[in-house]
């Protein structure tokens, strides 16, 4: 898994650029991906190994001097920005392991940040809810990562010609998660459920985009935006031709760049959003955006079987307020449900009985999309890929020359050696 990589935009766009665009015009692009890109240590019951590389060279533990991985990634990003040569725009991808889910065996890695627990607002929480306090500390560490990257861009004097996009991959693993060892005391309030579920608490993610190029700033966009839309959006922002991205590369996403530049909200360029069609787990969800901007969502399948009797939002432990529950029952494993996300983002009122036309329309769209889907490939575990065979490192399993060299470094000398 790549934690951080940088690509010169000139090389990325060499084949698909607009001839009249000058190289110096193209903006720099910084993408910060938070949450589930985790730095994995030993995992009970799962093959474990180390997977930290720099330019395909192994970074062993002793090269990090017991340095917290998020800080190491941030410092590398700052170094790349500082050494950037003006006139050669770059794409910088920062995949931080913060905040992820707090497995007990991961806490030694993820929560070794006592200094953040002493800062506001985390220090205002008493130790009665220590896990929530640790979660707040991890969020503050993430906030500091973003701030340091922005300050590095400011110091280099290139912020005005840089696009910063921040995103996550799913909702927080709150205490509604049936696999409670994965719960990290997150709160998706007031959205329903959390990570691993197709209700809004599991699929509506925190995201923002910032640029000095935008005519309008500081507003919330309510239109549909899928993770696949980032590629064509940033492609067009960097000077790529929209038609080439659509016709030659046949991507699934659509570009929102003109909407972002002009500060427009809804309706946007995307009419439908497929949350998921899971033929193995038997669950599915689809959202449609009407011309007036109304968002309708259909959801169905085996969604609640692991959480008997629960239909709502989980609040944090350190609050006396009650959980939020549904008004009109939705039991997706028995019948498809329909929600008006514009008026009911918490999915409390199932409209399947009162709006059968919209329900049937979304069901028909789902069938058409599913007809062209490709079955999931479930490949059996290959024992030849075990990290134990490669000195406990994850390496390309099909590469006959998988033995990779380590980065050069100066070993840390403890004070006791002086």
């Amino acid at each position: 898994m790549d934690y951080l990589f940088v690509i010169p935009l000139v090389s990325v766009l060499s084949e698909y650029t607009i001839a009249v665009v000058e190289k110096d015009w193209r903006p720099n692009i910084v993408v910060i991906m938070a949450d589930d890109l985790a730095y994995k240590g030993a995992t009970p019951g799962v093959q474990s190994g180390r997977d930290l590389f720099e330019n395909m060279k192994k970074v062993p533990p002793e090269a990090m001097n017991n340095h917290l991985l998020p800080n190491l990634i941030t410092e590398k990003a700052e170094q790349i920005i500082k050494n950037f040569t003006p006139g050669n725009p770059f794409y910088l991808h920062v995949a931080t392991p913060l905040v992820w889910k707090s497995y007990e065996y991961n806490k030694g890695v993820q929560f070794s940040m006592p200094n953040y627990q002493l800062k506001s607002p985390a220090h205002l929480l008493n130790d009665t809810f220590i896990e929530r306090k640790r979660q707040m500390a991890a969020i503050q560490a993430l906030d500091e990562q973003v701030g340091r990257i922005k300050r590095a861009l400011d110091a280099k004097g290139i912020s005005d010609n840089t696009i910063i996009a921040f995103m996550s991959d799913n909702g927080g693993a709150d205490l509604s998660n049936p696999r409670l060892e994965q719960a990290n005391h997150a709160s998706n309030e007031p959205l329903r459920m959390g990570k691993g579920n197709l209700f809004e608490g599991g699929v509506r993610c925190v995201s923002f985009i910032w640029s000095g190029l935008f005519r309008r700033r500081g507003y919330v966009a309510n239109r549909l935006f899928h993770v696949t839309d980032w590629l064509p959006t940033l492609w067009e922002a960097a000077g790529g031709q929209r038609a080439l991205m659509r016709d030659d590369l046949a991507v699934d996403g659509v570009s929102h760049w003109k909407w972002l530049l002009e500060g427009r909200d809804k309706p946007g360029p995307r009419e439908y959003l497929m949350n998921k069609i899971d033929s193995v787990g038997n669950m599915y969800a689809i959202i449609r955006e009407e011309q007036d901007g109304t968002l309708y969502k259909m959801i169905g399948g085996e969604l609640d079987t692991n959480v008997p009797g629960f239909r709502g939002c989980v609040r944090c432990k350190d609050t006396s307020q009650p959980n939020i529950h549904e008004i009109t029952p939705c039991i997706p494993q028995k019948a498809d449900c329909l929600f008006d996300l514009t008026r009911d983002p918490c999915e409390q009122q199932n409209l399947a009985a009162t709006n059968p036309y919209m329900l049937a329309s979304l069901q028909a769209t789902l069938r058409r999309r599913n007809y062209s889907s490709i079955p999931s490939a479930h490949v059996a575990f290959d024992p030849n890929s075990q990290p134990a065979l490669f000195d406990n490192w994850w390496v390309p399993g099909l590469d006959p020359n998988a033995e990779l060299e380590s980065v050069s470094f100066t070993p840390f000398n403890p004070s006791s050696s002086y």
Side-chain angles (χ1 to χ4, degrees), residues 317-349:
K317 273 187 174 182
D318 51 346
T319 178
S320 59
Q321 294 176 304
N323 292 338
I324 298 174
H325 289 274
E326 63 185 0
I327 298 172
T328 308
C330 165
I331 307 177
Q333 64 266 38
K334 292 184 178 181
D336 293 342
C337 305
L338 177 69
F339 297 100
D340 179 347
L341 295 182
T342 302
R343 297 173 179 82
D344 178 28
C346 303
E347 298 168 297
Q348 293 178 278
Q349 301 188 55

Side-chain angles (χ1 to χ4, degrees), residues 145-157:
Q145 270 194 301
V146 177
R148 285 176 59 179
I149 292 172
K150 176 59 167 62
R151 288 191 292 272
L153 294 167
D154 291 340
K156 189 67 177 181

